[in-house]
Amino acid sequence: MLTMILQSGTAMLLALLSARWLGPADRGIVVIITFLGSILMLVGSLGTATGARVLVGREDGTRLTPRRVLRSTRPLLLAHVGTATVAGSLTLWLVDGHVDWGVCALFAVYACSMLWAYLRRELLHGLGRHQEAVRGEVCSVIIQLGLVAAAHLAGHLNVYVAVAAMAVGILAQVAYQTPYLFPGELDAAEHERGDLRSLVGFSVPALATTVGQEYTLRADRLFLGVAIGSASAGVYGSAASLAETLTLLAAGASQILFRQAARGLTLGHLLKCHAVVGCATALGAATLWITGPTLIDITLGEEYHSAVGPLRILAIGAIPFAVYQLNVAVINGAGNLGRAARLAGAGALTLTVACFVLIPLVGANGAAWASVMSYSVLAVGSFAALPSLQHKLIRP
């Protein structure tokens, strides 16, 4: 948990400093690029990261090794180059009215690196190496922070440098992950052949879950960028980054619940997790509601004062989203990927409809309320989608 706190803290520091140093408009471009990279990463994986996470954690004949998974998914990485280039250029054109091919090229490198690191990170979680998985993310953020700070001090920080720093940080994460994926396995696994078709067939339901969840969590930035402009997305994205710290405890607990659900989990244990995480998240939301205006003025400055409203609304939304994080981890860990996929689809649909209705009416606050509505749908639906846990025990 301490490692996750460090990861969240450094990520928050990077978001705040880059927002202050770049300004709302350029920060908005970075926010949209980050969201697009995450969505393409999930789509490009075809759900194999989540599927492989389940399969490498099994203790029967269906278990896969990390090396076999990575060999199976090599074609996905190659295809991702073209997907990232096309999607990146189209999105930048929609937001800014023109295509900056330099940014597009850097984005393609960043997006492909994200997919590479994502597959490896989920494998580490599936193997129960949660600390190593999170430390890799910490390594990535620290390097990004160092590069962005150095560029700012040198007077050369801009969108190009920011995106390049993001790509370098992700590649450093890949380098960190590698030794922990193959300890003692390098020679023994050389004969293994990958089977992409079988892995994709098992994992496809997870695709809708992961894409729908990421879309529900961050697509509000894209809607704002297209509807109002990159500056609005930059201000809103800074508020959202602060609000996301409230889900830190739920994110940490969900990693553990996922693996426990794959082995067996009691309903009582899950409810205890809900009680602890729910109370802590609500306390954090109340604190952020009170201190939000001062926090934004101190960390970001007057340019971002309009972020106070969305920040307070998103703080409310963190509570149902934390509930969803815990439940969906159990649903996925138990292998019920189809249920999780339908649930994520409902959340994504709610966000889309609500954004189209509310953003033209109340701007950034409308996007925030749309997010709260979608998180609430996810929370309520996740309880209905939970597998029967009453008679399952956690095996050591």
Side-chain angles (χ1 to χ4, degrees):
M1 182 57 70
L2 290 177
T3 307
M4 289 201 68
I5 293 174
L6 177 61
Q7 188 270 337
S8 179
T10 51
M12 176 57 57
L13 183 61
L14 174 62
L16 294 176
L17 291 178
S18 63
R20 193 178 186 99
W21 293 339
L22 286 170
D26 284 350
R27 173 60 183 166
I29 295 295
V30 172
V31 166
I32 291 170
I33 282 176
T34 303
F35 162 71
L36 185 62
S38 297
I39 282 290
L40 292 178
M41 171 191 77
L42 299 172
V43 173
S45 73
L46 297 181
T48 55
T50 303
R53 177 174 172 170
V54 174
L55 293 174
V56 298
R58 287 185 173 176
E59 300 175 350
D60 54 24
T62 62
R63 180 182 181 274
L64 295 180
T65 63
R67 179 168 296 276
R68 184 173 181 181
V69 171
L70 293 175
R71 287 186 173 182
S72 299
T73 53
R74 284 175 184 170
L76 300 181
L77 288 169
L78 296 175
H80 204 58
V81 177
T83 304
T85 302
V86 173
S89 59
L90 178 60
T91 302
L92 290 174
W93 176 76
L94 286 172
V95 173
D96 262 8
H98 70 281
V99 177
D100 187 322
W101 292 108
V103 175
C104 282
L106 289 169
F107 171 72
V109 176
Y110 168 67
C112 292
S113 302
M114 285 189 74
L115 177 57
W116 198 12
Y118 171 54
L119 291 166
R120 290 165 173 257
R121 185 194 72 199
E122 293 304 294
L123 286 172
L124 285 172
H125 280 305
L127 294 170
R129 295 168 184 163
H130 306 296
Q131 291 286 342
E132 288 78 9
V134 178
R135 284 171 186 161
E137 295 183 279
V138 172
C139 173
S140 174
V141 176
I142 289 176
I143 289 176
Q144 291 175 34
L145 179 59
L147 292 174
V148 168
H152 170 69
L153 292 174
H156 298 300
L157 181 61
N158 53 37
V159 172
Y160 302 100
V161 174
V163 178
M166 290 158 59
V168 171
I170 297 296
L171 290 172
Q173 180 181 354
V174 172
Y176 179 89
Q177 293 165 333
T178 300
Y180 297 102
L181 282 173
F182 310 116
E185 179 182 303
L186 290 174
D187 297 328
E190 283 298 323
H191 66 282
E192 290 190 335
R193 292 282 186 268
D195 184 0
L196 180 60
R197 180 178 297 180
S198 298
L199 180 57
V200 170
F202 174 80
S203 306
V204 159
L207 176 62
T209 303
T210 53
V211 172
Q213 180 172 306
E214 182 67 18
Y215 180 95
T216 303
L217 185 60
R218 295 192 171 90
D220 44 5
R221 286 84 149 169
L222 180 60
F223 284 121
L224 270 177
V226 172
I228 302 178
S230 61
S232 179
V235 172
Y236 182 88
S238 299
S241 295
L242 287 169
E244 284 175 14
T245 60
L246 297 174
T247 63
L248 173 64
L249 183 59
S254 67
Q255 302 294 348
I256 300 171
L257 286 174
F258 185 101
R259 187 167 175 82
Q260 289 179 338
R263 297 181 172 186
L265 179 71
T266 63
L267 181 61
H269 182 75
L270 176 60
L271 293 178
K272 287 180 182 178
C273 286
H274 272 297
V276 173
V277 171
C279 290
T281 304
L283 179 61
T287 302
L288 194 58
W289 177 282
I290 296 169
T291 62
T294 303
L295 186 62
I296 287 177
D297 286 342
I298 292 174
T299 58
L300 297 175
E302 293 183 1
E303 284 185 302
Y304 289 86
H305 189 72
S306 59
V308 172
L311 173 61
R312 284 177 161 172
I313 297 169
L314 291 170
I316 298 172
I319 300 172
F321 191 76
V323 170
Y324 164 74
Q325 283 178 290
L326 298 181
N327 286 345
V328 80
V330 174
I331 295 167
N332 280 324
N336 297 309
L337 304 183
R339 293 182 187 179
R342 291 188 291 273
L343 181 60
L349 179 60
T350 302
L351 179 74
T352 302
V353 174
C355 278
F356 271 105
V357 173
L358 295 177
I359 289 177
L361 295 176
V362 286
N365 284 347
W369 281 118
S371 294
V372 174
M373 292 169 62
S374 63
Y375 299 162
S376 300
V377 168
L378 291 175
V380 173
S382 66
F383 276 109
L386 278 174
S388 177
L389 302 175
Q390 288 87 341
H391 305 294
K392 291 186 177 180
L393 299 175
I394 301 174
R395 295 195 297 272

